Amino acid sequence: MADKITFLGAGSTVFAKNVLGDVMLTSALQEFELALFDIDLERLKDSENMLNNLKATAGSGCVVKAYTDRKEALRGAKFVVNAIQVGGYDPCTITDFEIPKKYGLRQTIADTLGIGGIFRNLRTIPVMMEFARDMQEVCPDAWFLNYTNPMAVLTNAMITHGGIKTVGLCHSVQVCMPHLFDALGMEKDGVQTKIAGINHMAWLLEVTKDGVDLYPEIKRRALEKQKEKHHDMVRFELMHRFGYYVTESSEHNAEYHPYFIKKNYPELIDRFNIPLDEYPRRCVEQIERWKSMREELVGSKNLEHQRSHEYASYIFEAMVTNQPFKIGGNVMNTGLITNLPKEACVEVPCLVDASGVTPTYVGDLPPQLAALNRTNINTQLLTLEAAFTGKKEHIYHAALLDPHTAAELSIDDIVALCDDLIEAHGGWLPKFQ
Amino acid sequence: MADKITFLGAGSTVFAKNVLGDVMLTSALQEFELALFDIDLERLKDSENMLNNLKATAGSGCVVKAYTDRKEALRGAKFVVNAIQVGGYDPCTITDFEIPKKYGLRQTIADTLGIGGIFRNLRTIPVMMEFARDMQEVCPDAWFLNYTNPMAVLTNAMITHGGIKTVGLCHSVQVCMPHLFDALGMEKDGVQTKIAGINHMAWLLEVTKDGVDLYPEIKRRALEKQKEKHHDMVRFELMHRFGYYVTESSEHNAEYHPYFIKKNYPELIDRFNIPLDEYPRRCVEQIERWKSMREELVGSKNLEHQRSHEYASYIFEAMVTNQPFKIGGNVMNTGLITNLPKEACVEVPCLVDASGVTPTYVGDLPPQLAALNRTNINTQLLTLEAAFTGKKEHIYHAALLDPHTAAELSIDDIVALCDDLIEAHGGWLPKFQ
Amino acid sequence: MADKITFLGAGSTVFAKNVLGDVMLTSALQEFELALFDIDLERLKDSENMLNNLKATAGSGCVVKAYTDRKEALRGAKFVVNAIQVGGYDPCTITDFEIPKKYGLRQTIADTLGIGGIFRNLRTIPVMMEFARDMQEVCPDAWFLNYTNPMAVLTNAMITHGGIKTVGLCHSVQVCMPHLFDALGMEKDGVQTKIAGINHMAWLLEVTKDGVDLYPEIKRRALEKQKEKHHDMVRFELMHRFGYYVTESSEHNAEYHPYFIKKNYPELIDRFNIPLDEYPRRCVEQIERWKSMREELVGSKNLEHQRSHEYASYIFEAMVTNQPFKIGGNVMNTGLITNLPKEACVEVPCLVDASGVTPTYVGDLPPQLAALNRTNINTQLLTLEAAFTGKKEHIYHAALLDPHTAAELSIDDIVALCDDLIEAHGGWLPKFQ
Amino acid sequence: MADKITFLGAGSTVFAKNVLGDVMLTSALQEFELALFDIDLERLKDSENMLNNLKATAGSGCVVKAYTDRKEALRGAKFVVNAIQVGGYDPCTITDFEIPKKYGLRQTIADTLGIGGIFRNLRTIPVMMEFARDMQEVCPDAWFLNYTNPMAVLTNAMITHGGIKTVGLCHSVQVCMPHLFDALGMEKDGVQTKIAGINHMAWLLEVTKDGVDLYPEIKRRALEKQKEKHHDMVRFELMHRFGYYVTESSEHNAEYHPYFIKKNYPELIDRFNIPLDEYPRRCVEQIERWKSMREELVGSKNLEHQRSHEYASYIFEAMVTNQPFKIGGNVMNTGLITNLPKEACVEVPCLVDASGVTPTYVGDLPPQLAALNRTNINTQLLTLEAAFTGKKEHIYHAALLDPHTAAELSIDDIVALCDDLIEAHGGWLPKFQ
């Protein structure tokens, strides 16, 4: 039997193209079966067609196979890629944004922390635990590459409660320095970086060239750029105030802190160019765009692909060839970042080779960065507590500890908001007591 | 030479009466010299007179001696009690309350956390470090009993940077259960408690009688009582929402969280009966009351004293007699509370005997309590960073991480507020860069 | 139903007299039932009679009751005292000494470490795990006071694998300083001590009077005394070489190290006055003495008792009255001794009150003491590994890591010796693979 | 100014050829100055000549420069390679072997642990601390690659007390699996390994091919091979008994354990083919061989070099190019191996790139391997204690804790042996009290 890469949520056609198209272009991976699974059978079929077209143009030896039985898709897998979304834009994302809005609580993305992130976790964790149970049965030694958000909590759940070898992967690490340097017109070649923290709030701890710290120049240019409107104003402000650049975008970070979306300071939305309701807007656009994209991706016999910067195929390659590859990965904090809680999932440099994904030691973060991370970890850990005890009170705790939610609402409103969200989710959530 | 107990801030006549009056009533301590020091020579003289009157009525063998040279007061001390206040009501407490008020930031006590707590720390730490240097020279093995607030940060500084054997002591631990039980009309006899956390936010983790958990009855009565106005409403609400009773009073806890003093919800002040500006009001009353009290305390040849519940004399007694005594003490978190940062000062059960103050192991706090503690520890650790690096940016960080300040103000206002406070403090603060 | 103290191994009449006689003399414990259990029904009856006589002379309110069903004896217990011995002098102790002797491996006590200690653990752990299962069912909240040796391993097993609240208790802590001071003609009054390490190898870390270190005088006198033969020569030599006095006696410590019983240096036996085969000799004497003692203890209607120094009744009293009591107890190393493995059971100062037995923080031991402890912990942890994996190879590992065994024998002989001991034990051991 | 690689102990001509010859063949390193330093000026000159010849044949752009002032050699260095030996064969190695022999204590290599390792450390540490002080002054950010033995202790000293970024490097990691597979006639291609532990006693924890554990086959072949004499018998015996293959050779491991060189079992020397006095024999051979080798290495204008497997040039290359490279490196145990002491230096997989040498997380070793490592770490830590406190008693402690020394000698003999060695070393050691 051939080795097997199983892709859960394979109906994400664009992402499947990137990850599995990359695999088809990697010589060490040509004997793998690419096993596709999705609960949306139409999208599953689309991805299968698209990949078979790619296979033909790339001349790949990989076998593409779509499954309607998840356990069969997973059976014997060596690698599992997870890109599912539970509840979709309609109804769940709509719920995540509209109900808080009634309480005057505004969000931008809601896929990580905050009230939206909490409920996204609560509806996704049970599905992930089903994956873990299946994997324990049919591929207990497989590596699970999680791309689904909220990254930190889901990866934590999969490792701690699922007992599966998991690494969480997020583009924000790879693009952090290039994005910043492009924005500031600085040269990227030969730049060394060190990034660690938690997913979506990891920190560019070091950025040097030939041993010279580039931060003074970065900060000088950033202050200059900040005089005009641009799309990264929240992050530049965070760097200005806390001294370090953060991995995730300004629209995300706007809702991880109590500083930007404030009823008392409505002018900050404009001043920091904060796109409220950004994520649902993107969802609607994406859905609208799908029709034309579908034509292009699924219908085109001559579909081409260039190996992308997604970590997945490089990780498979490193594990298969034993050539070391370095990633920023999400793993449990087994003493790696010494001033963050041991129960947290952290994003740190990891070494990948035939031994798997091995995290490296970081030590203490600068104290202000550890403090900011801890405010987010508080909500993460209480969300996990809610998911695994089934107690409603821990949902309230998670929301009460969220920096943005707690800054904006009273305790009564937070509790009522949680109750409303539980009710609106209906069957998308397990029962809480 | 006799053994010596040195009292720094001996001009706090009432507190000196309690602590040193207790000593005079403890048979094992009759051979101690009671060495008084204060920078206010008039108040120092008052305390000396008061204690000599007490000595006569109590028939104590202790020798009372006032010093105007601090190092001489400390020389050869076995125990040092610290009850100083730096900057006093006027000007520093006035500054701590009035300047934030201009930014719309209201406080109740401002002696622990929050913007007031940060600056109280910054002006007190340098004085404490002078004490530490003196002690290293003239009584390096003495035990330092710190009663000065902000407790957690000052005790941390004294241990970590001062290198002095220190325990921080606060009444809130002793009176926690009795206060609660009195308020609810419950019987205190035979009740077992376990309390741990951080100073002013330690938690009544266990409260049992004959092995039976009393929390269900406590919560039932508390919910009932909460239907009417009373003076402990914030704590009852915290217990209702987070499941555990906290050691410090409602007026304190109102400002440790982002939930109670909110511009967006002005009705909460009345609803939870929150006494804004409580501490300056008390200061003014105390100053006014002093004239009559002085008569009574200093002028009375027949002054009497009954041994109080202050820990100090019991600690001295336990150390001298080797009879074990249990206290709730503030110590460094050397793995004692396993889900709070190791850099924090924690309040845990300690064993006192001839071996000194030995902290006991607690383990993990319930996750929601650890999370609440961590939000306060964030500000504590950044305040220490500011004090010991001399960098202004860390003062901003401390204020930006304070849950109440960050909920109410924008980044710009927080930074401006810090700058105003630095300027207003003038020579009361060291220079920051 | 009355509160209940269950005594397992109640046929140890002398020890039952001490522990339960103490209970009868403690006013706070007069309403307890004293539940006796032993598999030797004759000895059980003897202890019951003895205790009923004691009850009469003491006028105690305790009810004495003997059980033949272990689970019934444990049902509803608040405290359980364990003083069992598995396998007895004949056959198991004889086996433990005679088979090693064939390989030229000599022992003194063999109840702690060494080849004898390993097998004593292996035959006792399964019985203790039965106790734990019973307790989980009928008294899951009871405190288990373990007096059975090997203390460190059995206590570790009971906590880690049994899930029972356990403290291990050993006289060697209490008598350490008095024994030493009596031997050296020094005054014990007002002496402060601090003792920590592992059971039978805990260290007198501090010994002071009025703040003055007494070690220089102790060592001066000890060197003098060492010029003549006496019964504590091994410990004095250890103190001379490693700087600290150890809790357990010279006859025990002779076999915990590779330094004293050496085929290459046979003269050391005489020089350090080492009583080889001491434990079986004591067993024989005890058995012979029992006939006359039985008359005295069991037959005497006027049997009297004075409260002893055994910790048990003081622990019960402290838990019932909430008056703090300090003990040296064996507990898991939850970061208490920072340079010993976290998996080890350590002996440290503990606070006892209504909250139970709470261990205190010790920190680093002097490095040479930690090193000596680690050599013994190696064997302890591998013995646990053998017991809980059922793998014979880990028995070999335990023996191969034992300092005395490894110094004296070759690998082949150690393995053969283990095989012989497994065979000789027959049904006293579970099956190993 | 060019970047600079400083080589301390450059008179080790063969090793300098490997490391610096490798550099000359690495395109990314062509702009480096190669700064040579040695206290033996003749050997220094030899190495300079040899490297200039190599430079010519290789057409390298590196500049070779010999220094007689150590601080100037180090000034501005980016990398420092340390390959010094203090005391040499004559007199110090002779001393290390001959004096113990008088006490009947036999050794094989004596460069790691044991009585010889202890004294090799004690005479080398002060010199290393001088290096550290120089580097703090003239190249505080340089990476220090330590090749000098005893690896674990010297690397620990350099990091903990020297405050220099250091990694310790040893060939035994690279050649571990190939050596084993060659000996057993097994195919090395595609084999994945995981190695961790302490230097010279690190363990082949995993050895797989395509996910299949190769240990069963390895052990089967090893048992077969063990039926005849060969040169790796000690390691095969250790693997047979403890389940894992160890990195360092049989002649080394023979003296790290109490199992092989035993007066009581003299037949083991022959049975396990143990080359007593191997290291001095090699030294004598090497000195004799040098005359002919010198001709070849120093005198040959056409000297050629092929890039070796030494880690050094790959590490420089990875740091300069930011292409990740994986090594087994010696670093402080910052929670990396969770069942070894935090104070120890451990050998673990490390990631090397522009961020430097970053160690990876290992977790718990199998308990029997951790136990064996701890017996060696005991002596390492006590040697460090001796070196940095200057107290003779800690030298005794280090020797008393050494498994082989303690198994063979009595306490008195160990102490006398240490005293003899201290005296014989004379000025090669600092003064101990």
Side-chain angles (χ1 to χ4, degrees), chain C residues 297-316:
Chain C
L297 280 175
V298 181
S300 159
K301 287 285 177 199
N302 304 315
L303 185 65
E304 300 218 338
H305 180 69
Q306 302 238 324
R307 196 166 178 188
S308 75
H309 288 292
E310 289 297 341
Y311 276 153
S313 74
Y314 295 93
I315 290 174
F316 303 150

PDB file of all heavy atoms in Angstrom, chain C residues 297-316:
ATOM      1  N   LEU C 297       1.724  -7.778  77.395  1.00  0.00           N
ATOM      2  CA  LEU C 297       0.902  -6.827  76.633  1.00  0.00           C
ATOM      3  C   LEU C 297      -0.545  -7.263  76.521  1.00  0.00           C
ATOM      4  O   LEU C 297      -1.464  -6.465  76.634  1.00  0.00           O
ATOM      5  CB  LEU C 297       1.446  -6.676  75.206  1.00  0.00           C
ATOM      6  CG  LEU C 297       2.640  -5.756  75.018  1.00  0.00           C
ATOM      7  CD1 LEU C 297       3.104  -5.821  73.582  1.00  0.00           C
ATOM      8  CD2 LEU C 297       2.249  -4.321  75.385  1.00  0.00           C
ATOM      9  N   VAL C 298      -0.730  -8.539  76.261  1.00  0.00           N
ATOM     10  CA  VAL C 298      -2.086  -9.004  75.966  1.00  0.00           C
ATOM     11  C   VAL C 298      -2.800  -9.472  77.215  1.00  0.00           C
ATOM     12  O   VAL C 298      -4.009  -9.295  77.374  1.00  0.00           O
ATOM     13  CB  VAL C 298      -2.046 -10.146  74.912  1.00  0.00           C
ATOM     14  CG1 VAL C 298      -3.440 -10.624  74.564  1.00  0.00           C
ATOM     15  CG2 VAL C 298      -1.288  -9.685  73.679  1.00  0.00           C
ATOM     16  N   GLY C 299      -2.023 -10.043  78.142  1.00  0.00           N
ATOM     17  CA  GLY C 299      -2.661 -10.655  79.284  1.00  0.00           C
ATOM     18  C   GLY C 299      -2.937  -9.700  80.440  1.00  0.00           C
ATOM     19  O   GLY C 299      -3.685 -10.022  81.346  1.00  0.00           O
ATOM     20  N   SER C 300      -2.352  -8.514  80.364  1.00  0.00           N
ATOM     21  CA  SER C 300      -2.433  -7.661  81.543  1.00  0.00           C
ATOM     22  C   SER C 300      -3.642  -6.747  81.520  1.00  0.00           C
ATOM     23  O   SER C 300      -3.768  -5.869  80.673  1.00  0.00           O
ATOM     24  CB  SER C 300      -1.146  -6.828  81.641  1.00  0.00           C
ATOM     25  OG  SER C 300      -1.375  -5.701  82.435  1.00  0.00           O
ATOM     26  N   LYS C 301      -4.526  -6.934  82.487  1.00  0.00           N
ATOM     27  CA  LYS C 301      -5.715  -6.084  82.609  1.00  0.00           C
ATOM     28  C   LYS C 301      -5.342  -4.653  82.971  1.00  0.00           C
ATOM     29  O   LYS C 301      -6.087  -3.721  82.734  1.00  0.00           O
ATOM     30  CB  LYS C 301      -6.637  -6.653  83.711  1.00  0.00           C
ATOM     31  CG  LYS C 301      -7.385  -7.923  83.325  1.00  0.00           C
ATOM     32  CD  LYS C 301      -8.531  -7.627  82.367  1.00  0.00           C
ATOM     33  CE  LYS C 301      -9.251  -8.905  81.921  1.00  0.00           C
ATOM     34  NZ  LYS C 301     -10.045  -8.723  80.710  1.00  0.00           N
ATOM     35  N   ASN C 302      -4.186  -4.511  83.607  1.00  0.00           N
ATOM     36  CA  ASN C 302      -3.810  -3.171  84.077  1.00  0.00           C
ATOM     37  C   ASN C 302      -2.820  -2.463  83.152  1.00  0.00           C
ATOM     38  O   ASN C 302      -2.092  -1.576  83.571  1.00  0.00           O
ATOM     39  CB  ASN C 302      -3.199  -3.272  85.481  1.00  0.00           C
ATOM     40  CG  ASN C 302      -4.161  -3.954  86.418  1.00  0.00           C
ATOM     41  OD1 ASN C 302      -5.360  -3.647  86.430  1.00  0.00           O
ATOM     42  ND2 ASN C 302      -3.651  -4.924  87.171  1.00  0.00           N
ATOM     43  N   LEU C 303      -2.821  -2.900  81.906  1.00  0.00           N
ATOM     44  CA  LEU C 303      -1.873  -2.347  80.940  1.00  0.00           C
ATOM     45  C   LEU C 303      -1.972  -0.813  80.879  1.00  0.00           C
ATOM     46  O   LEU C 303      -3.057  -0.263  80.770  1.00  0.00           O
ATOM     47  CB  LEU C 303      -2.169  -2.937  79.548  1.00  0.00           C
ATOM     48  CG  LEU C 303      -1.185  -2.550  78.447  1.00  0.00           C
ATOM     49  CD1 LEU C 303       0.200  -3.115  78.733  1.00  0.00           C
ATOM     50  CD2 LEU C 303      -1.696  -3.045  77.098  1.00  0.00           C
ATOM     51  N   GLU C 304      -0.831  -0.179  80.950  1.00  0.00           N
ATOM     52  CA  GLU C 304      -0.834   1.288  80.891  1.00  0.00           C
ATOM     53  C   GLU C 304      -0.084   1.772  79.655  1.00  0.00           C
ATOM     54  O   GLU C 304       0.656   1.034  79.023  1.00  0.00           O
ATOM     55  CB  GLU C 304      -0.168   1.854  82.146  1.00  0.00           C
ATOM     56  CG  GLU C 304      -0.892   1.433  83.420  1.00  0.00           C
ATOM     57  CD  GLU C 304      -0.921   2.535  84.454  1.00  0.00           C
ATOM     58  OE1 GLU C 304      -0.067   3.443  84.378  1.00  0.00           O
ATOM     59  OE2 GLU C 304      -1.810   2.497  85.344  1.00  0.00           O
ATOM     60  N   HIS C 305      -0.302   3.023  79.344  1.00  0.00           N
ATOM     61  CA  HIS C 305       0.360   3.595  78.172  1.00  0.00           C
ATOM     62  C   HIS C 305       0.562   5.088  78.384  1.00  0.00           C
ATOM     63  O   HIS C 305      -0.288   5.756  78.943  1.00  0.00           O
ATOM     64  CB  HIS C 305      -0.500   3.345  76.921  1.00  0.00           C
ATOM     65  CG  HIS C 305       0.107   3.906  75.659  1.00  0.00           C
ATOM     66  ND1 HIS C 305       1.240   3.370  75.104  1.00  0.00           N
ATOM     67  CD2 HIS C 305      -0.257   4.937  74.866  1.00  0.00           C
ATOM     68  CE1 HIS C 305       1.545   4.060  74.016  1.00  0.00           C
ATOM     69  NE2 HIS C 305       0.650   5.015  73.857  1.00  0.00           N
ATOM     70  N   GLN C 306       1.707   5.565  77.958  1.00  0.00           N
ATOM     71  CA  GLN C 306       1.963   7.004  77.959  1.00  0.00           C
ATOM     72  C   GLN C 306       2.078   7.462  76.507  1.00  0.00           C
ATOM     73  O   GLN C 306       2.659   6.751  75.696  1.00  0.00           O
ATOM     74  CB  GLN C 306       3.295   7.289  78.660  1.00  0.00           C
ATOM     75  CG  GLN C 306       3.348   6.790  80.084  1.00  0.00           C
ATOM     76  CD  GLN C 306       3.640   7.902  81.064  1.00  0.00           C
ATOM     77  OE1 GLN C 306       4.403   8.820  80.764  1.00  0.00           O
ATOM     78  NE2 GLN C 306       2.989   7.849  82.220  1.00  0.00           N
ATOM     79  N   ARG C 307       1.552   8.616  76.234  1.00  0.00           N
ATOM     80  CA  ARG C 307       1.565   9.069  74.827  1.00  0.00           C
ATOM     81  C   ARG C 307       3.000   9.098  74.311  1.00  0.00           C
ATOM     82  O   ARG C 307       3.874   9.711  74.922  1.00  0.00           O
ATOM     83  CB  ARG C 307       0.914  10.450  74.707  1.00  0.00           C
ATOM     84  CG  ARG C 307       0.565  10.784  73.258  1.00  0.00           C
ATOM     85  CD  ARG C 307      -0.375  11.972  73.160  1.00  0.00           C
ATOM     86  NE  ARG C 307      -0.656  12.315  71.778  1.00  0.00           N
ATOM     87  CZ  ARG C 307      -1.312  13.402  71.404  1.00  0.00           C
ATOM     88  NH1 ARG C 307      -1.783  14.231  72.319  1.00  0.00           N
ATOM     89  NH2 ARG C 307      -1.519  13.651  70.123  1.00  0.00           N
ATOM     90  N   SER C 308       3.224   8.436  73.189  1.00  0.00           N
ATOM     91  CA  SER C 308       4.575   8.304  72.642  1.00  0.00           C
ATOM     92  C   SER C 308       4.893   9.471  71.711  1.00  0.00           C
ATOM     93  O   SER C 308       4.102  10.409  71.561  1.00  0.00           O
ATOM     94  CB  SER C 308       4.685   6.998  71.866  1.00  0.00           C
ATOM     95  OG  SER C 308       4.003   7.128  70.629  1.00  0.00           O
ATOM     96  N   HIS C 309       6.041   9.379  71.061  1.00  0.00           N
ATOM     97  CA  HIS C 309       6.419  10.425  70.105  1.00  0.00           C
ATOM     98  C   HIS C 309       6.032  10.079  68.674  1.00  0.00           C
ATOM     99  O   HIS C 309       6.417  10.780  67.745  1.00  0.00           O
ATOM    100  CB  HIS C 309       7.926  10.699  70.204  1.00  0.00           C
ATOM    101  CG  HIS C 309       8.292  11.426  71.455  1.00  0.00           C
ATOM    102  ND1 HIS C 309       7.907  12.730  71.684  1.00  0.00           N
ATOM    103  CD2 HIS C 309       8.937  11.023  72.570  1.00  0.00           C
ATOM    104  CE1 HIS C 309       8.346  13.122  72.863  1.00  0.00           C
ATOM    105  NE2 HIS C 309       8.958  12.099  73.442  1.00  0.00           N
ATOM    106  N   GLU C 310       5.304   8.966  68.487  1.00  0.00           N
ATOM    107  CA  GLU C 310       4.839   8.636  67.136  1.00  0.00           C
ATOM    108  C   GLU C 310       4.016   9.804  66.589  1.00  0.00           C
ATOM    109  O   GLU C 310       3.166  10.364  67.268  1.00  0.00           O
ATOM    110  CB  GLU C 310       3.936   7.384  67.161  1.00  0.00           C
ATOM    111  CG  GLU C 310       4.654   6.092  67.429  1.00  0.00           C
ATOM    112  CD  GLU C 310       5.661   5.738  66.352  1.00  0.00           C
ATOM    113  OE1 GLU C 310       5.571   6.279  65.233  1.00  0.00           O
ATOM    114  OE2 GLU C 310       6.573   4.941  66.654  1.00  0.00           O
ATOM    115  N   TYR C 311       4.236  10.108  65.313  1.00  0.00           N
ATOM    116  CA  TYR C 311       3.522  11.222  64.690  1.00  0.00           C
ATOM    117  C   TYR C 311       2.009  10.994  64.572  1.00  0.00           C
ATOM    118  O   TYR C 311       1.223  11.945  64.552  1.00  0.00           O
ATOM    119  CB  TYR C 311       4.050  11.428  63.269  1.00  0.00           C
ATOM    120  CG  TYR C 311       5.294  12.261  63.136  1.00  0.00           C
ATOM    121  CD1 TYR C 311       6.150  12.059  62.054  1.00  0.00           C
ATOM    122  CD2 TYR C 311       5.611  13.278  64.035  1.00  0.00           C
ATOM    123  CE1 TYR C 311       7.300  12.833  61.874  1.00  0.00           C
ATOM    124  CE2 TYR C 311       6.758  14.044  63.860  1.00  0.00           C
ATOM    125  CZ  TYR C 311       7.587  13.821  62.785  1.00  0.00           C
ATOM    126  OH  TYR C 311       8.705  14.593  62.613  1.00  0.00           O
ATOM    127  N   ALA C 312       1.574   9.724  64.460  1.00  0.00           N
ATOM    128  CA  ALA C 312       0.198   9.457  64.011  1.00  0.00           C
ATOM    129  C   ALA C 312      -0.862  10.203  64.821  1.00  0.00           C
ATOM    130  O   ALA C 312      -1.694  10.925  64.265  1.00  0.00           O
ATOM    131  CB  ALA C 312      -0.072   7.952  64.004  1.00  0.00           C
ATOM    132  N   SER C 313      -0.849  10.042  66.149  1.00  0.00           N
ATOM    133  CA  SER C 313      -1.933  10.656  66.931  1.00  0.00           C
ATOM    134  C   SER C 313      -1.862  12.180  66.866  1.00  0.00           C
ATOM    135  O   SER C 313      -2.880  12.862  66.933  1.00  0.00           O
ATOM    136  CB  SER C 313      -1.899  10.180  68.387  1.00  0.00           C
ATOM    137  OG  SER C 313      -0.829  10.785  69.095  1.00  0.00           O
ATOM    138  N   TYR C 314      -0.655  12.724  66.716  1.00  0.00           N
ATOM    139  CA  TYR C 314      -0.524  14.179  66.596  1.00  0.00           C
ATOM    140  C   TYR C 314      -1.075  14.662  65.253  1.00  0.00           C
ATOM    141  O   TYR C 314      -1.645  15.740  65.151  1.00  0.00           O
ATOM    142  CB  TYR C 314       0.941  14.597  66.773  1.00  0.00           C
ATOM    143  CG  TYR C 314       1.463  14.306  68.158  1.00  0.00           C
ATOM    144  CD1 TYR C 314       2.116  13.113  68.437  1.00  0.00           C
ATOM    145  CD2 TYR C 314       1.240  15.192  69.203  1.00  0.00           C
ATOM    146  CE1 TYR C 314       2.567  12.818  69.716  1.00  0.00           C
ATOM    147  CE2 TYR C 314       1.688  14.916  70.493  1.00  0.00           C
ATOM    148  CZ  TYR C 314       2.344  13.714  70.743  1.00  0.00           C
ATOM    149  OH  TYR C 314       2.769  13.431  72.018  1.00  0.00           O
ATOM    150  N   ILE C 315      -0.893  13.840  64.246  1.00  0.00           N
ATOM    151  CA  ILE C 315      -1.442  14.180  62.925  1.00  0.00           C
ATOM    152  C   ILE C 315      -2.972  14.155  62.962  1.00  0.00           C
ATOM    153  O   ILE C 315      -3.640  15.088  62.513  1.00  0.00           O
ATOM    154  CB  ILE C 315      -0.891  13.205  61.858  1.00  0.00           C
ATOM    155  CG1 ILE C 315       0.601  13.464  61.628  1.00  0.00           C
ATOM    156  CG2 ILE C 315      -1.680  13.310  60.559  1.00  0.00           C
ATOM    157  CD1 ILE C 315       1.286  12.471  60.704  1.00  0.00           C
ATOM    158  N   PHE C 316      -3.530  13.090  63.545  1.00  0.00           N
ATOM    159  CA  PHE C 316      -5.000  13.022  63.655  1.00  0.00           C
ATOM    160  C   PHE C 316      -5.520  14.236  64.427  1.00  0.00           C
ATOM    161  O   PHE C 316      -6.491  14.875  64.042  1.00  0.00           O
ATOM    162  CB  PHE C 316      -5.443  11.744  64.394  1.00  0.00           C
ATOM    163  CG  PHE C 316      -4.966  10.466  63.791  1.00  0.00           C
ATOM    164  CD1 PHE C 316      -4.723   9.346  64.595  1.00  0.00           C
ATOM    165  CD2 PHE C 316      -4.748  10.342  62.423  1.00  0.00           C
ATOM    166  CE1 PHE C 316      -4.272   8.158  64.058  1.00  0.00           C
ATOM    167  CE2 PHE C 316      -4.294   9.135  61.869  1.00  0.00           C
ATOM    168  CZ  PHE C 316      -4.061   8.045  62.692  1.00  0.00           C
TER     169      PHE C 316
END
